[in-house]
Amino acid sequence: MSRSSLDSFDCCRPLSLNGRTISYYSLPAFAQNSGIDVNRLPFAFKILLENLLRHEDRIAVTRNDIEAIANWDPVSPPMAEIALHPARVVLQDFTGVPAVVDLAAMRDAVSTLGGSPSRINPLFPSELVIDHSIQVDFSGALNSLSLNVDKEYGRNGERYALLRWAQQAFENFKVIPPATGIVHQVNLEYLARVVFERDGLAFFDTLVGTDSHTTMVNGLGVLGWGVGGIEAEAAMLGQPLNLLTPLVLGVRLDGTLNPGVTATDVVLSITKILRDEGVVGKFVEFFGSGLGSLSLADRATIANMSPEFGSTCALFPIDNKTLDYLRMTGRDAAQVGLVEAYARAQGVFASTDSTHVRYSKVISVQLSGIVPTLAGPRRPHDRVPLRDVKQSWTKTLPELVKGGKTGDKTPSDLAATVDIKLNGHHSKLAHGSIVIAAITSCTNTSNPSVMLCAGLLAKKAVDRGLVAKPWVKTSLAPGSRVVTRYLEKAGLLESLQSLGFFVVGYGCTTCIGNSGPLPETISKAIADANLVAVSVLSGNRNFEGRISPDVRANYLASPPLVVAYSLVGHIDIDFETESLGHDSKGQDVFLRDIWPTTEEIQSLLDTCVTAKEYQAEYGQEILGDDRWRSLPVPNGSQFKWDPASTYVRKPTFFESLAQEPSPLGEIRAARILALLGDFVTTDHISPAGNIAKDSAAAKYLRENGVSPSEYNSYGARRGNHEVMMRGTFANVRLKNRLVPDSEGPVTIHAGSGAKLSIFDAAMRYQNEGTPLIVVAGKEYGSGSSRDWAAKGTFMLGVRAVIAESFERIHRSNLIGMGVLPLEFLHGDNQESLSLSGLHTINILGIADGLTPRKLLNVDVTEPDGHVRSFSVRVRIDTLVELEYYKHGGILNYVLRQLVFGAN
């Protein structure tokens, strides 16, 4: 790959390293030869500049492109286009399996068209971590982990066979087996290079990942972010990632944290601050004297939640803490030396003084002002200080009770309770009862300080005789096996187990919706009494309908607070004035009595979290357990599809691919499939969580001989387009304004007035030859980077989505599937334009020449024949995106390039 760059700025230089010499594209040499001061650029832009210098070819990257980013104006609207060539791709199995399925289908398509299947092959490291398939079916016992893993293999054998095939069929493709850890923590602790050396050339480690929380590695000074699986597949095949030069917000951190304040409290506070600031589509960079008081794990905790505050990335500098972390996690000394030498040579090895750097805007965060915090009950940026949780709950409860708004419910409705008998004990459930307490998710389980804090709190609670409430489903899902090692070494794992926090798996569990079923007694009681049950989890997502179908209120909290809430079993407590319970002497035990001190936590960090723990897990190639190694490995350059499989099916995206795409045409006589409000997430759009037994997907599975006990989750069946298209818009909390009296995946078929499932209505429209559109409000498609939110939309026959604004990844994914994203003009929305859903809609101006951000005309024909019009803006932002759309999607474009040489 090395020195194929034109290097028109003559900046390729030698780098001496431990008695040998390698090459690199020097930013100081570029500055000298171009006369442009690069020291004023944010760190992220220096990484992008080096990437452009290394890939200059007069096609994807020109001299003008390089000068444009080097001369970046921090206050100008994004205009210049960047072609980023990431050094690697990271995938998790929920999004990675569909990517592998698509690549396998592309190999078939290339073969059918007369080409060599091996032309479809990752061109650089592409690493998939199997972490999203574990579910908490079993908890609260020592054998929970082994039982859950057994069930995982039983459910996912077909998917894992596909991945075993991919590992031997594709070059540059690695699979990290199940029960290793969460993709982001494995990335942070093992996969991330920070600086690459390949073919005698050193360069910045950059990546894209098929998970929005790829940004966690930004804490290590690695630039990368989440993209849809569609974009990731194209990147694996050598396509650059095209983006407009962003605005960059600088966040200056000052001061230090007060005792008792955790990294979780910091990130939930920063999430609220930056969400209010408005950073969607922007880069965020951290600097300031406060950096020195944050551990690398603290930085990664903050960077992880970049999607929650909306930024593209959340980058921290390379400094001595970066080097210390690399050493602690067992990285080779030569790699650590390369990182330091390269960073210093490029002038990016950080100090706390960043006054010379120009940002689009700078905001300050005083760390000493942060207090213990939760976020909920619906969104990660719904910050609630711990001291205000009880008061906030009382105010929020009337809105949460199903079908009610504030003032609609009587006091007796809000005081509803139900008696239950569980494991021989009588208990009482009420609104606010916590039924799930989960230490889960990469956000916090990567951070030894909060994990040790949780373990210490558990030990002190057990020593005082406290126990978790019996109706609380407790679980511990560490982000890597290293966590278990240091908890055991610290003597804290047993205390967590005493409170029911047994290890249930190493992967993404409750936070992704893999919380598993609640006991039938509890589930029935919640339904019968219409209770607003609560989950408390140390994750990063708490959207409606995500955690469990039985739970309507979800709160994000630090691991020690998850333990604390499990002891009381209800959310409406003021920890300052109310006790957790009584000890063996009958004395009140308050949270402050068992909260660990900073010195206690630091002592365990110093003695129990060392390189030995990381080397024991990552010191050699990760081969997996006996179950993984004994799986059959299909061979051959093309995958052998099983027509009877309900997990992995050959997708239809590439059937009948012509050499030239069809000309673009107007969208005429379209109908609205769904009329949606603000903040509709990919959790609402993309199939996620368990497959409901009365759903269209369940009907398909029954017809194919699958029993309800084997339905598994949508995530596990992402390799089957038949299941996924039926699960699109199938969230039980979806609110389609075409059916205002209903909740869930229902709509009105405009022609007949029939109330149908969204899937059935879409199929009827397809049979009638009617194109469909979706209309939505602000931030449409926020949340996880789920490619099936776009794929399913496409397969339902949706040709365009009109929204007030789009989340970055979902907008890109829509274009990647050939669905046109359109934005209302400022001040317009579905209410102001009186869009009721009974209209016939024409979208005009496409056929006469589509251009980025062009204005199109929308004609709305009322049932009485009256026609009115309004304008929308095309949210295709770059010429490359336009090419993708013209080809019907990015993968069609790549295939035509490979087979026909299309441009």
Side-chain angles (χ1 to χ4, degrees):
M1 60 157 290
S2 64
R3 290 154 294 280
S4 59
S5 170
L6 294 175
D7 193 17
S8 64
F9 290 95
D10 186 27
C11 57
C12 187
R13 293 288 186 272
L15 177 66
S16 297
L17 190 69
N18 294 327
R20 62 192 183 93
T21 301
I22 58 177
S23 300
Y24 76 112
Y25 284 83
S26 167
L27 296 178
F30 167 81
Q32 181 177 358
N33 294 341
S34 67
I36 300 173
D37 179 14
V38 300
N39 286 325
R40 62 182 179 78
L41 292 176
F43 177 35
F45 271 56
K46 292 178 181 179
I47 296 174
L48 293 174
L49 176 58
E50 184 276 338
N51 196 281
L52 295 181
L53 290 170
R54 187 162 31 93
H55 290 95
E56 184 186 0
D57 61 359
R58 290 202 190 99
I59 302 171
V61 179
T62 67
R63 183 183 175 96
N64 287 341
D65 296 333
I66 295 169
E67 290 176 335
I69 193 169
N71 287 307
W72 173 70
D73 182 350
V75 297
S76 293
M79 294 295 291
E81 189 174 335
I82 305 169
L84 172 68
H85 292 77
R88 59 190 176 99
V89 172
V90 170
L91 310 99
Q92 42 96 327
D93 55 306
F94 266 21
T95 48
V97 165
V100 173
V101 166
D102 286 351
L103 293 177
M106 290 175 78
R107 279 197 165 186
D108 290 351
V110 169
S111 179
T112 300
L113 295 167
S116 171
S118 61
R119 297 184 71 178
I120 302 296
N121 198 73
L123 298 181
F124 47 81
S126 301
E127 296 151 331
L128 184 148
V129 181
I130 301 176
D131 70 334
H132 276 54
S133 296
I134 187 78
Q135 296 188 48
V136 190
D137 293 287
F138 302 94
S139 62
L142 195 59
N143 63 347
S144 297
L145 173 62
S146 61
L147 291 174
N148 286 327
V149 173
D150 283 343
K151 196 142 189 162
E152 175 186 356
Y153 273 91
R155 285 169 168 155
N156 297 290
E158 295 177 37
R159 300 168 68 241
Y160 293 172
L162 170 74
L163 295 178
R164 295 277 281 173
W165 167 80
Q167 190 164 24
Q168 62 83 29
F170 293 122
E171 297 177 9
N172 296 319
F173 188 78
K174 176 189 286 187
V175 177
I176 306 296
T180 301
I182 294 177
V183 57
H184 312 304
Q185 190 161 346
V186 174
N187 191 15
L188 191 74
E189 296 175 352
Y190 176 60
L191 296 176
R193 285 77 159 175
V194 186
V195 174
F196 258 94
E197 181 187 345
R198 190 186 303 157
D199 298 333
L201 184 71
F203 52 95
F204 287 111
D205 181 5
T206 54
L207 75 155
V208 292
T210 60
D211 191 295
S212 50
H213 295 99
T214 298
T215 54
M216 182 170 175
V217 80
N218 296 166
L220 197 59
V222 176
L223 181 62
W225 54 83
V227 297
I230 303 160
E231 287 178 287
E233 293 165 47
M236 291 163 70
L237 295 171
Q239 290 296 304
L241 185 71
N242 289 275
L243 65 152
L244 296 176
T245 52
L247 300 175
V248 184
L249 179 77
V251 179
R252 184 174 62 238
L253 301 176
D254 295 312
T256 59
L257 298 176
N258 291 318
V261 177
T262 69
T264 314
D265 304 319
V266 175
V267 72
L268 293 178
S269 299
I270 287 176
T271 297
K272 173 63 173 174
I273 292 168
L274 294 184
R275 175 62 70 171
D276 289 347
E277 172 66 30
V279 295
V280 173
K282 299 176 184 177
F283 282 18
V284 168
E285 264 187 38
F286 294 89
F287 67 98
S289 60
L291 282 176
S293 67
L294 296 179
S295 70
L296 197 291
D298 293 342
R299 299 177 185 186
T301 301
I302 296 168
N304 180 282
M305 289 188 71
S306 173
E308 278 63 55
F309 40 84
S311 64
T312 302
C313 61
L315 191 63
F316 286 81
I318 297 174
D319 59 10
N320 283 317
K321 294 218 170 185
T322 312
L323 304 181
D324 291 342
Y325 185 81
L326 293 174
R327 295 187 188 99
M328 185 192 75
T329 50
R331 263 53 170 232
D332 183 83
Q335 179 64 27
V336 179
L338 171 65
V339 171
E340 181 173 11
Y342 181 82
R344 291 189 183 280
Q346 292 287 34
V348 299
F349 198 84
S351 67
T352 57
D353 179 19
S354 293
T355 55
H356 59 282
V357 177
R358 295 178 62 200
Y359 293 106
S360 304
K361 184 178 181 180
V362 173
I363 65 170
S364 297
V365 174
Q366 179 55 249
L367 295 177
S368 62
I370 293 174
V371 298
T373 296
L374 273 68
R378 297 188 184 95
R379 298 176 301 183
H381 56 278
D382 292 336
R383 175 182 174 271
V384 186
L386 181 63
R387 60 177 177 262
D388 297 335
V389 169
K390 184 174 183 177
Q391 179 183 359
S392 173
W393 172 257
T394 301
K395 180 180 179 180
T396 304
L397 178 59
E399 302 170 11
L400 293 171
V401 176
K402 189 174 183 180
K405 297 180 180 179
T406 303
D408 289 345
K409 296 297 172 181
T410 66
S412 61
D413 292 324
L414 302 181
T417 61
V418 59
D419 293 317
I420 60 170
K421 185 176 182 182
L422 195 66
N423 300 325
H425 298 283
H426 290 276
S427 301
K428 190 183 294 292
L429 293 183
H431 293 305
S433 290
I434 295 169
V435 294
I436 293 175
I439 300 176
T440 181
S441 174
C442 45
T443 315
N444 294 287
T445 60
S446 66
N447 193 320
S449 65
V450 293
M451 296 302 290
L452 290 169
C453 185
L456 282 166
L457 189 142
K459 185 178 187 303
K460 294 185 177 189
V462 171
D463 290 346
R464 295 291 295 269
L466 301 180
V467 296
K469 290 296 184 281
W471 58 83
V472 183
K473 181 176 182 177
T474 50
S475 61
L476 170 61
S480 79
R481 303 184 76 89
V482 176
V483 178
T484 309
R485 283 185 174 271
Y486 65 65
L487 286 174
E488 285 180 322
K489 187 175 179 180
L492 301 177
L493 187 61
E494 186 176 349
S495 297
L496 286 163
Q497 292 171 342
S498 296
L499 297 180
F501 289 94
F502 290 87
V503 173
V504 295
Y506 295 95
C508 192
T509 55
T510 302
C511 191
I512 195 64
N514 287 353
S515 56
L518 296 177
E520 181 60 31
T521 300
I522 292 178
S523 184
K524 185 176 185 303
I526 292 171
D528 290 349
N530 191 28
L531 296 180
V532 180
V534 175
S535 75
V536 179
L537 63 151
S538 65
N540 45 39
R541 293 278 163 86
N542 58 340
F543 300 127
E544 290 181 292
R546 181 182 180 96
I547 305 304
S548 166
D550 293 320
V551 177
R552 291 214 292 273
N554 306 289
Y555 286 86
L556 305 181
S558 66
L561 284 178
V562 171
V563 175
Y565 274 107
S566 77
L567 302 175
V568 295
H570 57 91
I571 196 67
D572 51 332
I573 179 174
D574 180 350
F575 284 121
E576 283 293 318
T577 60
E578 299 175 66
S579 71
L580 303 171
H582 301 93
D583 63 14
S584 57
K585 298 179 181 179
Q587 295 179 330
D588 283 328
V589 180
F590 290 90
L591 180 59
R592 58 182 174 270
D593 299 331
I594 62 171
W595 194 270
T597 66
T598 303
E599 292 74 21
E600 289 172 321
I601 297 169
Q602 189 60 52
S603 175
L604 292 180
L605 284 170
D606 293 340
T607 58
C608 300
V609 187
T610 68
K612 290 182 180 179
E613 281 67 52
Y614 292 90
Q615 288 168 342
E617 293 298 334
Y618 298 126
Q620 58 184 358
E621 188 73 15
I622 300 172
L623 300 176
D625 59 17
D626 291 340
R627 283 168 291 208
W628 177 255
R629 293 193 298 271
S630 64
L631 285 175
V633 184
N635 55 25
S637 62
Q638 291 176 250
F639 185 68
K640 297 176 178 61
W641 306 96
D642 178 359
S645 174
T646 57
Y647 277 94
V648 177
R649 294 182 69 85
K650 183 177 177 179
T652 59
F653 305 138
F654 312 116
E655 292 180 355
S656 305
L657 186 73
Q659 180 170 349
E660 295 292 336
S662 301
L664 296 181
E666 317 289 29
I667 299 174
R668 295 185 180 275
R671 294 288 195 175
I672 298 176
L673 180 64
L675 191 64
L676 306 171
D678 295 338
F679 308 115
V680 171
T681 71
T682 50
D683 280 24
H684 293 101
I685 309 165
S686 179
N690 292 325
I691 297 173
K693 292 179 174 56
D694 59 349
S695 65
K699 180 181 177 183
Y700 163 83
L701 292 172
R702 284 195 303 272
E703 291 172 349
N704 282 271
V706 180
S707 64
S709 63
E710 300 299 323
Y711 284 171
N712 208 334
S713 67
Y714 283 111
R717 293 189 181 274
R718 282 192 176 195
N720 184 342
H721 59 279
E722 296 287 357
V723 171
M724 299 303 283
M725 67 184 291
R726 287 166 171 80
T728 303
F729 294 110
N731 188 296
V732 295
R733 301 294 177 221
L734 183 74
K735 296 177 178 65
N736 184 357
R737 294 175 175 178
L738 298 183
V739 196
D741 59 340
S742 297
E743 198 174 48
V746 292
T747 192
I748 297 294
H749 178 262
S752 64
K755 181 178 177 179
L756 301 171
S757 74
I758 284 181
F759 172 76
D760 287 338
M763 293 305 100
R764 183 179 292 190
Y765 280 126
Q766 283 194 24
N767 290 335
E768 297 166 352
T770 302
L772 299 173
I773 65 171
V774 169
V775 178
K778 300 180 181 69
E779 295 187 37
Y780 181 72
S782 57
S784 300
S785 56
R786 291 187 170 144
D787 56 326
W788 263 108
K791 287 181 177 178
T793 298
F794 164 76
M795 295 196 75
L796 291 178
V798 175
R799 298 278 304 280
V801 177
I802 308 175
E804 290 182 62
S805 60
F806 289 89
E807 192 276 337
R808 173 184 59 85
I809 298 174
H810 186 59
R811 182 194 66 83
S812 177
N813 281 345
L814 289 172
I815 297 167
M817 288 305 302
V819 178
L820 186 62
L822 303 170
E823 205 164 79
F824 289 112
L825 299 187
H826 181 69
D828 285 351
N829 55 46
Q830 55 189 272
E831 290 85 4
S832 68
L833 296 169
S834 300
L835 298 180
S836 67
L838 300 179
H839 329 284
T840 301
I841 292 177
N842 295 333
I843 301 174
L844 308 175
I846 302 172
D848 62 0
L850 202 59
T851 57
R853 302 185 71 84
K854 179 182 180 179
L855 293 183
L856 299 181
N857 199 61
V858 179
D859 287 350
V860 177
T861 303
E862 304 287 358
D864 63 3
H866 173 69
V867 179
R868 53 194 176 87
S869 300
F870 61 92
S871 295
V872 293
R873 186 176 302 281
V874 173
R875 279 307 314 276
I876 292 174
D877 292 349
T878 69
L879 291 173
V880 172
E881 287 181 343
L882 180 58
E883 283 302 306
Y884 295 157
Y885 179 71
K886 287 179 178 178
H887 282 262
I890 189 171
L891 299 182
N892 290 346
Y893 172 82
V894 172
L895 261 179
R896 288 190 174 104
Q897 275 197 323
L898 289 172
V899 180
F900 305 120
N903 293 315

